[in-house]
Amino acid sequence: MTRYRTANVHGLNIFYREAGDSHAPAVLLLHGFPSSSRMYDKLIPVLARRFHVIAPDYPGFGHSDAPPPETFAYTFDHLASVIDAFTQQLGIQHYALFVQDYGGPVGFRLAQIHPERIAAIVIQNAVAHEEGLGPLWTTRRQYWANREAYADKLRANLISLEAAKQRHVGTDPDPSLYDPDAWTDEFAFLSRPGEGRIQEDLFYDYRTNVASYPAWQAYLKAHHPPMLVLWGKYDPSFTVAGAWAYQKDVPDAEVHILDAGHFAMDTKGQEVADFTLQFLNRQRDHMVRVAGGAR
């Protein structure tokens, strides 16, 4: 059974979903943009059969506090710092990571800070290589170079209703597979008072992620964490080349290209759950050793 909790971290109320035996190896699910831990609703009960599953909402997302940018710096370093403190507050010293989209930059920062805590990594359309960035990133790079001049184009490219829909459907030849509630709910979230500024600030900081790719790749090459890569090939933002690029750093990374979009669980939830559970089951003994014997 999934429980819906809140932890106070650095003075912020951080909402999270939790399921499974708290003595089992932990799996930390880190969500993408502009979603929340809700995107893992169907995955959590599957993984909870054998693992302790925790899925937080970042500050500014979902049901967590969203302080104004004047009082909280919306950077990926800051989000990672809050999530790191969150795991410590919950007593989660070692865990496998499941990261999607923005979960990648947050998760890789955690891995860099505490490589000894990371037992395995599951990547679902989260980029750590330049070749993973598709044509949509032309406007986004222009925004980084001249924020004021390209702010309107960035909003259309990133936080408009059409952009919310495109993130889900992408280039899938069968858009009838997609529930429109997915993007209308996300657009409602993006339309909350102050949310546009929060997301613009955070996306402006995304340039630091691209600059960090070499460091993340160095981490992977140095530590070779067990890795599963699941990639929706209809993603309009992240190219399939970004999936295969992980094998340059972790040659034995397991890669599966799915007939799905950026949010692969939209249409291939069962496949994502099956691949992830099978992978983590194979890593379970290793996860127990990393955690120092937790069962």
Side-chain angles (χ1 to χ4, degrees), residues 250-275:
V250 183
D252 57 354
E254 180 183 339
V255 179
H256 297 278
I257 309 301
L258 307 177
D259 288 325
H262 180 69
F263 295 99
M265 284 175 281
D266 281 351
T267 59
K268 298 295 180 181
Q270 190 61 54
E271 286 186 38
V272 171
D274 288 346
F275 279 128

PDB file of all heavy atoms in Angstrom, residues 250-275:
ATOM      1  N   VAL A 250      29.381   2.979 -19.464  1.00  0.00           N
ATOM      2  CA  VAL A 250      29.122   1.719 -18.760  1.00  0.00           C
ATOM      3  C   VAL A 250      28.850   0.668 -19.845  1.00  0.00           C
ATOM      4  O   VAL A 250      27.700   0.474 -20.256  1.00  0.00           O
ATOM      5  CB  VAL A 250      27.922   1.843 -17.800  1.00  0.00           C
ATOM      6  CG1 VAL A 250      27.720   0.549 -17.020  1.00  0.00           C
ATOM      7  CG2 VAL A 250      28.110   3.017 -16.845  1.00  0.00           C
ATOM      8  N   PRO A 251      29.891   0.008 -20.359  1.00  0.00           N
ATOM      9  CA  PRO A 251      29.723  -0.870 -21.518  1.00  0.00           C
ATOM     10  C   PRO A 251      28.689  -1.973 -21.344  1.00  0.00           C
ATOM     11  O   PRO A 251      28.062  -2.398 -22.329  1.00  0.00           O
ATOM     12  CB  PRO A 251      31.134  -1.455 -21.724  1.00  0.00           C
ATOM     13  CG  PRO A 251      32.046  -0.414 -21.159  1.00  0.00           C
ATOM     14  CD  PRO A 251      31.309   0.152 -19.972  1.00  0.00           C
ATOM     15  N   ASP A 252      28.496  -2.441 -20.119  1.00  0.00           N
ATOM     16  CA  ASP A 252      27.524  -3.518 -19.919  1.00  0.00           C
ATOM     17  C   ASP A 252      26.147  -2.992 -19.514  1.00  0.00           C
ATOM     18  O   ASP A 252      25.294  -3.759 -19.054  1.00  0.00           O
ATOM     19  CB  ASP A 252      28.027  -4.527 -18.896  1.00  0.00           C
ATOM     20  CG  ASP A 252      28.353  -3.899 -17.546  1.00  0.00           C
ATOM     21  OD1 ASP A 252      28.303  -2.655 -17.432  1.00  0.00           O
ATOM     22  OD2 ASP A 252      28.649  -4.664 -16.595  1.00  0.00           O
ATOM     23  N   ALA A 253      25.910  -1.694 -19.703  1.00  0.00           N
ATOM     24  CA  ALA A 253      24.579  -1.140 -19.428  1.00  0.00           C
ATOM     25  C   ALA A 253      23.553  -1.842 -20.310  1.00  0.00           C
ATOM     26  O   ALA A 253      23.765  -2.057 -21.502  1.00  0.00           O
ATOM     27  CB  ALA A 253      24.561   0.358 -19.688  1.00  0.00           C
ATOM     28  N   GLU A 254      22.429  -2.195 -19.720  1.00  0.00           N
ATOM     29  CA  GLU A 254      21.341  -2.850 -20.445  1.00  0.00           C
ATOM     30  C   GLU A 254      20.438  -1.765 -21.027  1.00  0.00           C
ATOM     31  O   GLU A 254      19.931  -0.923 -20.290  1.00  0.00           O
ATOM     32  CB  GLU A 254      20.556  -3.740 -19.471  1.00  0.00           C
ATOM     33  CG  GLU A 254      19.398  -4.497 -20.080  1.00  0.00           C
ATOM     34  CD  GLU A 254      18.636  -5.306 -19.041  1.00  0.00           C
ATOM     35  OE1 GLU A 254      19.215  -5.608 -17.966  1.00  0.00           O
ATOM     36  OE2 GLU A 254      17.457  -5.624 -19.304  1.00  0.00           O
ATOM     37  N   VAL A 255      20.253  -1.767 -22.356  1.00  0.00           N
ATOM     38  CA  VAL A 255      19.495  -0.721 -23.034  1.00  0.00           C
ATOM     39  C   VAL A 255      18.304  -1.324 -23.765  1.00  0.00           C
ATOM     40  O   VAL A 255      18.456  -2.307 -24.507  1.00  0.00           O
ATOM     41  CB  VAL A 255      20.384   0.049 -24.039  1.00  0.00           C
ATOM     42  CG1 VAL A 255      19.570   1.128 -24.764  1.00  0.00           C
ATOM     43  CG2 VAL A 255      21.582   0.676 -23.332  1.00  0.00           C
ATOM     44  N   HIS A 256      17.120  -0.726 -23.557  1.00  0.00           N
ATOM     45  CA  HIS A 256      15.908  -1.155 -24.259  1.00  0.00           C
ATOM     46  C   HIS A 256      15.238   0.076 -24.860  1.00  0.00           C
ATOM     47  O   HIS A 256      14.921   1.032 -24.133  1.00  0.00           O
ATOM     48  CB  HIS A 256      14.936  -1.852 -23.306  1.00  0.00           C
ATOM     49  CG  HIS A 256      15.472  -3.111 -22.707  1.00  0.00           C
ATOM     50  ND1 HIS A 256      15.446  -4.324 -23.355  1.00  0.00           N
ATOM     51  CD2 HIS A 256      16.086  -3.339 -21.507  1.00  0.00           C
ATOM     52  CE1 HIS A 256      15.994  -5.245 -22.597  1.00  0.00           C
ATOM     53  NE2 HIS A 256      16.395  -4.671 -21.461  1.00  0.00           N
ATOM     54  N   ILE A 257      15.025   0.066 -26.168  1.00  0.00           N
ATOM     55  CA  ILE A 257      14.335   1.145 -26.862  1.00  0.00           C
ATOM     56  C   ILE A 257      12.875   0.736 -27.013  1.00  0.00           C
ATOM     57  O   ILE A 257      12.568  -0.310 -27.587  1.00  0.00           O
ATOM     58  CB  ILE A 257      14.965   1.420 -28.237  1.00  0.00           C
ATOM     59  CG1 ILE A 257      16.492   1.608 -28.102  1.00  0.00           C
ATOM     60  CG2 ILE A 257      14.313   2.630 -28.875  1.00  0.00           C
ATOM     61  CD1 ILE A 257      16.907   2.740 -27.177  1.00  0.00           C
ATOM     62  N   LEU A 258      11.983   1.571 -26.500  1.00  0.00           N
ATOM     63  CA  LEU A 258      10.563   1.239 -26.438  1.00  0.00           C
ATOM     64  C   LEU A 258       9.760   2.052 -27.448  1.00  0.00           C
ATOM     65  O   LEU A 258      10.119   3.190 -27.785  1.00  0.00           O
ATOM     66  CB  LEU A 258      10.026   1.508 -25.033  1.00  0.00           C
ATOM     67  CG  LEU A 258      10.779   0.862 -23.866  1.00  0.00           C
ATOM     68  CD1 LEU A 258      10.155   1.282 -22.546  1.00  0.00           C
ATOM     69  CD2 LEU A 258      10.794  -0.649 -23.990  1.00  0.00           C
ATOM     70  N   ASP A 259       8.664   1.469 -27.904  1.00  0.00           N
ATOM     71  CA  ASP A 259       7.712   2.198 -28.753  1.00  0.00           C
ATOM     72  C   ASP A 259       6.872   3.102 -27.861  1.00  0.00           C
ATOM     73  O   ASP A 259       5.694   2.851 -27.595  1.00  0.00           O
ATOM     74  CB  ASP A 259       6.810   1.216 -29.517  1.00  0.00           C
ATOM     75  CG  ASP A 259       7.554   0.484 -30.617  1.00  0.00           C
ATOM     76  OD1 ASP A 259       8.441   1.095 -31.242  1.00  0.00           O
ATOM     77  OD2 ASP A 259       7.256  -0.695 -30.845  1.00  0.00           O
ATOM     78  N   ALA A 260       7.495   4.154 -27.385  1.00  0.00           N
ATOM     79  CA  ALA A 260       6.874   5.034 -26.394  1.00  0.00           C
ATOM     80  C   ALA A 260       7.458   6.424 -26.550  1.00  0.00           C
ATOM     81  O   ALA A 260       8.397   6.655 -27.332  1.00  0.00           O
ATOM     82  CB  ALA A 260       7.122   4.499 -24.984  1.00  0.00           C
ATOM     83  N   GLY A 261       6.914   7.367 -25.797  1.00  0.00           N
ATOM     84  CA  GLY A 261       7.372   8.742 -25.841  1.00  0.00           C
ATOM     85  C   GLY A 261       8.271   9.093 -24.675  1.00  0.00           C
ATOM     86  O   GLY A 261       8.839   8.230 -24.001  1.00  0.00           O
ATOM     87  N   HIS A 262       8.388  10.398 -24.425  1.00  0.00           N
ATOM     88  CA  HIS A 262       9.241  10.919 -23.361  1.00  0.00           C
ATOM     89  C   HIS A 262       8.868  10.327 -22.007  1.00  0.00           C
ATOM     90  O   HIS A 262       9.733   9.947 -21.224  1.00  0.00           O
ATOM     91  CB  HIS A 262       9.092  12.443 -23.340  1.00  0.00           C
ATOM     92  CG  HIS A 262       9.898  13.136 -22.299  1.00  0.00           C
ATOM     93  ND1 HIS A 262      11.266  13.219 -22.346  1.00  0.00           N
ATOM     94  CD2 HIS A 262       9.516  13.807 -21.174  1.00  0.00           C
ATOM     95  CE1 HIS A 262      11.704  13.901 -21.305  1.00  0.00           C
ATOM     96  NE2 HIS A 262      10.662  14.268 -20.568  1.00  0.00           N
ATOM     97  N   PHE A 263       7.569  10.239 -21.742  1.00  0.00           N
ATOM     98  CA  PHE A 263       7.075   9.574 -20.536  1.00  0.00           C
ATOM     99  C   PHE A 263       6.666   8.154 -20.953  1.00  0.00           C
ATOM    100  O   PHE A 263       5.500   7.899 -21.270  1.00  0.00           O
ATOM    101  CB  PHE A 263       5.886  10.329 -19.948  1.00  0.00           C
ATOM    102  CG  PHE A 263       6.228  11.701 -19.443  1.00  0.00           C
ATOM    103  CD1 PHE A 263       5.975  12.820 -20.216  1.00  0.00           C
ATOM    104  CD2 PHE A 263       6.805  11.887 -18.192  1.00  0.00           C
ATOM    105  CE1 PHE A 263       6.278  14.097 -19.760  1.00  0.00           C
ATOM    106  CE2 PHE A 263       7.114  13.149 -17.721  1.00  0.00           C
ATOM    107  CZ  PHE A 263       6.855  14.264 -18.504  1.00  0.00           C
ATOM    108  N   ALA A 264       7.614   7.256 -20.960  1.00  0.00           N
ATOM    109  CA  ALA A 264       7.378   5.919 -21.517  1.00  0.00           C
ATOM    110  C   ALA A 264       6.256   5.176 -20.822  1.00  0.00           C
ATOM    111  O   ALA A 264       5.595   4.322 -21.419  1.00  0.00           O
ATOM    112  CB  ALA A 264       8.670   5.097 -21.459  1.00  0.00           C
ATOM    113  N   MET A 265       6.009   5.515 -19.556  1.00  0.00           N
ATOM    114  CA  MET A 265       4.957   4.809 -18.827  1.00  0.00           C
ATOM    115  C   MET A 265       3.556   5.206 -19.279  1.00  0.00           C
ATOM    116  O   MET A 265       2.587   4.548 -18.916  1.00  0.00           O
ATOM    117  CB  MET A 265       5.136   5.016 -17.319  1.00  0.00           C
ATOM    118  CG  MET A 265       6.272   4.168 -16.761  1.00  0.00           C
ATOM    119  SD  MET A 265       6.635   4.481 -15.009  1.00  0.00           S
ATOM    120  CE  MET A 265       7.577   5.995 -15.142  1.00  0.00           C
ATOM    121  N   ASP A 266       3.456   6.270 -20.101  1.00  0.00           N
ATOM    122  CA  ASP A 266       2.153   6.624 -20.666  1.00  0.00           C
ATOM    123  C   ASP A 266       1.535   5.441 -21.402  1.00  0.00           C
ATOM    124  O   ASP A 266       0.348   5.170 -21.281  1.00  0.00           O
ATOM    125  CB  ASP A 266       2.296   7.774 -21.671  1.00  0.00           C
ATOM    126  CG  ASP A 266       2.411   9.136 -21.016  1.00  0.00           C
ATOM    127  OD1 ASP A 266       2.210   9.243 -19.793  1.00  0.00           O
ATOM    128  OD2 ASP A 266       2.691  10.103 -21.751  1.00  0.00           O
ATOM    129  N   THR A 267       2.350   4.778 -22.215  1.00  0.00           N
ATOM    130  CA  THR A 267       1.838   3.707 -23.077  1.00  0.00           C
ATOM    131  C   THR A 267       2.505   2.363 -22.844  1.00  0.00           C
ATOM    132  O   THR A 267       1.982   1.344 -23.274  1.00  0.00           O
ATOM    133  CB  THR A 267       2.015   4.087 -24.566  1.00  0.00           C
ATOM    134  OG1 THR A 267       3.410   4.315 -24.827  1.00  0.00           O
ATOM    135  CG2 THR A 267       1.232   5.356 -24.900  1.00  0.00           C
ATOM    136  N   LYS A 268       3.649   2.358 -22.179  1.00  0.00           N
ATOM    137  CA  LYS A 268       4.389   1.108 -21.963  1.00  0.00           C
ATOM    138  C   LYS A 268       4.689   0.904 -20.481  1.00  0.00           C
ATOM    139  O   LYS A 268       5.771   0.439 -20.110  1.00  0.00           O
ATOM    140  CB  LYS A 268       5.694   1.112 -22.781  1.00  0.00           C
ATOM    141  CG  LYS A 268       5.491   1.204 -24.288  1.00  0.00           C
ATOM    142  CD  LYS A 268       4.783  -0.030 -24.830  1.00  0.00           C
ATOM    143  CE  LYS A 268       4.576   0.075 -26.341  1.00  0.00           C
ATOM    144  NZ  LYS A 268       3.871  -1.109 -26.892  1.00  0.00           N
ATOM    145  N   GLY A 269       3.700   1.207 -19.653  1.00  0.00           N
ATOM    146  CA  GLY A 269       3.910   1.105 -18.211  1.00  0.00           C
ATOM    147  C   GLY A 269       4.269  -0.293 -17.752  1.00  0.00           C
ATOM    148  O   GLY A 269       5.133  -0.471 -16.891  1.00  0.00           O
ATOM    149  N   GLN A 270       3.612  -1.295 -18.325  1.00  0.00           N
ATOM    150  CA  GLN A 270       3.892  -2.667 -17.912  1.00  0.00           C
ATOM    151  C   GLN A 270       5.301  -3.087 -18.309  1.00  0.00           C
ATOM    152  O   GLN A 270       6.001  -3.754 -17.535  1.00  0.00           O
ATOM    153  CB  GLN A 270       2.868  -3.635 -18.528  1.00  0.00           C
ATOM    154  CG  GLN A 270       2.938  -5.045 -17.958  1.00  0.00           C
ATOM    155  CD  GLN A 270       2.665  -5.087 -16.465  1.00  0.00           C
ATOM    156  OE1 GLN A 270       1.629  -4.594 -16.010  1.00  0.00           O
ATOM    157  NE2 GLN A 270       3.591  -5.637 -15.694  1.00  0.00           N
ATOM    158  N   GLU A 271       5.728  -2.689 -19.510  1.00  0.00           N
ATOM    159  CA  GLU A 271       7.089  -3.034 -19.949  1.00  0.00           C
ATOM    160  C   GLU A 271       8.122  -2.351 -19.059  1.00  0.00           C
ATOM    161  O   GLU A 271       9.118  -2.978 -18.662  1.00  0.00           O
ATOM    162  CB  GLU A 271       7.298  -2.618 -21.403  1.00  0.00           C
ATOM    163  CG  GLU A 271       6.579  -3.512 -22.408  1.00  0.00           C
ATOM    164  CD  GLU A 271       6.936  -3.140 -23.833  1.00  0.00           C
ATOM    165  OE1 GLU A 271       8.109  -2.807 -24.094  1.00  0.00           O
ATOM    166  OE2 GLU A 271       6.027  -3.180 -24.691  1.00  0.00           O
ATOM    167  N   VAL A 272       7.910  -1.079 -18.760  1.00  0.00           N
ATOM    168  CA  VAL A 272       8.845  -0.368 -17.885  1.00  0.00           C
ATOM    169  C   VAL A 272       8.905  -1.052 -16.525  1.00  0.00           C
ATOM    170  O   VAL A 272       9.996  -1.279 -15.972  1.00  0.00           O
ATOM    171  CB  VAL A 272       8.430   1.110 -17.729  1.00  0.00           C
ATOM    172  CG1 VAL A 272       9.256   1.793 -16.645  1.00  0.00           C
ATOM    173  CG2 VAL A 272       8.580   1.851 -19.055  1.00  0.00           C
ATOM    174  N   ALA A 273       7.755  -1.412 -15.976  1.00  0.00           N
ATOM    175  CA  ALA A 273       7.713  -2.068 -14.665  1.00  0.00           C
ATOM    176  C   ALA A 273       8.406  -3.426 -14.712  1.00  0.00           C
ATOM    177  O   ALA A 273       9.185  -3.768 -13.809  1.00  0.00           O
ATOM    178  CB  ALA A 273       6.268  -2.224 -14.210  1.00  0.00           C
ATOM    179  N   ASP A 274       8.144  -4.207 -15.761  1.00  0.00           N
ATOM    180  CA  ASP A 274       8.741  -5.539 -15.864  1.00  0.00           C
ATOM    181  C   ASP A 274      10.258  -5.453 -15.990  1.00  0.00           C
ATOM    182  O   ASP A 274      10.994  -6.159 -15.286  1.00  0.00           O
ATOM    183  CB  ASP A 274       8.166  -6.291 -17.063  1.00  0.00           C
ATOM    184  CG  ASP A 274       6.723  -6.727 -16.854  1.00  0.00           C
ATOM    185  OD1 ASP A 274       6.248  -6.683 -15.704  1.00  0.00           O
ATOM    186  OD2 ASP A 274       6.072  -7.102 -17.851  1.00  0.00           O
ATOM    187  N   PHE A 275      10.740  -4.606 -16.905  1.00  0.00           N
ATOM    188  CA  PHE A 275      12.194  -4.462 -17.083  1.00  0.00           C
ATOM    189  C   PHE A 275      12.850  -3.998 -15.788  1.00  0.00           C
ATOM    190  O   PHE A 275      13.917  -4.488 -15.401  1.00  0.00           O
ATOM    191  CB  PHE A 275      12.508  -3.465 -18.201  1.00  0.00           C
ATOM    192  CG  PHE A 275      12.417  -4.028 -19.593  1.00  0.00           C
ATOM    193  CD1 PHE A 275      11.649  -3.392 -20.564  1.00  0.00           C
ATOM    194  CD2 PHE A 275      13.102  -5.179 -19.954  1.00  0.00           C
ATOM    195  CE1 PHE A 275      11.565  -3.894 -21.856  1.00  0.00           C
ATOM    196  CE2 PHE A 275      13.027  -5.700 -21.246  1.00  0.00           C
ATOM    197  CZ  PHE A 275      12.253  -5.044 -22.204  1.00  0.00           C
TER     198      PHE A 275
END
